[in-house]
Amino acid sequence: MMEEGVYGGGKAGAPFDPLTFVQRPQVILRAVTWLFSIIVFGCISSQGWSKNTKGDDVCLYNEDSNACNYGVGISVIAFLASLGFIAGEYFFEQMSSVKTRKRYVMADMGFSAFWSFLYFVGFCYLTNQWSRADTPSYGVNNMQAAIAFSFFAIFPWAGAAYLAFLRYKQGSDQAFAPSYEADPSNTGGGYSSYPDATDPDGGYSQPPFGGQPGQPQQPGMQQQQQAPPY
């Protein structure tokens, strides 16, 4: 069992609560990125291509096939990754290893930040090619919707990266936190480690060869124990 709150997760082995799961910010953002990815690659795949005079398929984004392939490619991968991270959020609570949770959080943070950047590049790329293209007779709404949701997708991916960073920071702080707390009521002095320290209770040290242990010697007995003069 793990302590509750390690890398932002609950205790490993805790019962699964579906209502709490779907209300988690990470799950909500993954659902949004999943939906946006469907819209982008759906719009481009359905009406993003047309036939030219030679009968070849050309992309409506200024006949640049790379623009259509880029938008579809990053969105298909985003679709699969969003499903994978939603499943990962479910198994995150079952991870009993701190190292496993750390690797998952780092992968989430890196991938989300990188895909937010790719959607930003895609938005700029598609917008530039669409501004240079001739207005087609059909598919205008789909092409503009793909551009718009490429822009919208930047923010949930960036938000997911930020939440993963907060998780990583929380886990790092817990890793370096002390495992105990000092007792503030324990203000009294303990035993001194010096051999010549005095006893605060006013005790005494028994001299060697001083008779029975635990009994102080009388002054007369000390005189009798002195060696006779020669």
Side-chain angles (χ1 to χ4, degrees), residues 35-36 53 58 81 119 130 156 172 186 194 205 213 217-219:
L35 178 62
F36 286 177
T53 56
V58 293
Y119 265 112
W130 181 249
S172 301
N186 187 15
Y194 296 98
S205 299
Q217 296 182 355
Q218 301 296 331

Side-chain angles (χ1 to χ4, degrees), residues 55-140:
D56 298 330
D57 291 332
V58 293
C59 178
L60 295 183
Y61 289 115
N62 197 27
E63 299 186 359
D64 186 359
S65 60
N66 292 328
C68 289
N69 292 333
Y70 183 89
V72 172
I74 63 173
S75 297
V76 169
I77 297 176
F79 171 82
L80 298 176
S82 298
L83 293 178
F85 281 117
I86 291 176
E89 289 297 326
Y90 169 76
F91 290 107
F92 187 76
E93 303 293 338
Q94 312 301 323
M95 297 177 185
S96 58
S97 173
V98 176
K99 292 183 179 180
T100 304
R101 287 193 175 190
K102 180 179 179 181
R103 295 191 187 101
Y104 173 81
V105 171
M106 293 180 65
D108 185 5
M109 178 173 57
F111 186 89
S112 299
F114 182 60
W115 232 250
S116 178
F117 172 75
L118 290 184
Y119 265 112
F120 173 75
V121 174
F123 166 73
C124 296
Y125 186 20
L126 298 182
T127 302
N128 182 53
Q129 293 301 323
W130 181 249
S131 63
R132 297 180 180 182
D134 297 331
T135 303
S137 58
Y138 77 104
V140 176

Side-chain angles (χ1 to χ4, degrees), residues 23 35 60 92 147 165 183 223:
Q23 292 177 349
L35 178 62
L60 295 183
F92 187 76
I147 294 175
F165 170 74
D183 186 4
Q223 295 178 0

Side-chain angles (χ1 to χ4, degrees), residues 16 19 23 35 57 80 89 118 139 141-142 148 157 170 175 177 189 211 213 216 221-222:
F16 176 71
L19 183 60
Q23 292 177 349
L35 178 62
D57 291 332
L80 298 176
E89 289 297 326
L118 290 184
N141 293 334
N142 283 30
W157 281 106
Q170 179 183 1
M221 295 178 62
Q222 295 180 0

Side-chain angles (χ1 to χ4, degrees), residues 136-171:
S137 58
Y138 77 104
V140 176
N141 293 334
N142 283 30
M143 298 298 97
Q144 293 177 346
I147 294 175
F149 281 93
S150 294
F151 175 75
F152 296 151
I154 297 173
F155 303 101
W157 281 106
Y162 177 71
L163 292 180
F165 170 74
L166 294 180
R167 272 182 169 179
Y168 179 79
K169 187 175 182 298
Q170 179 183 1

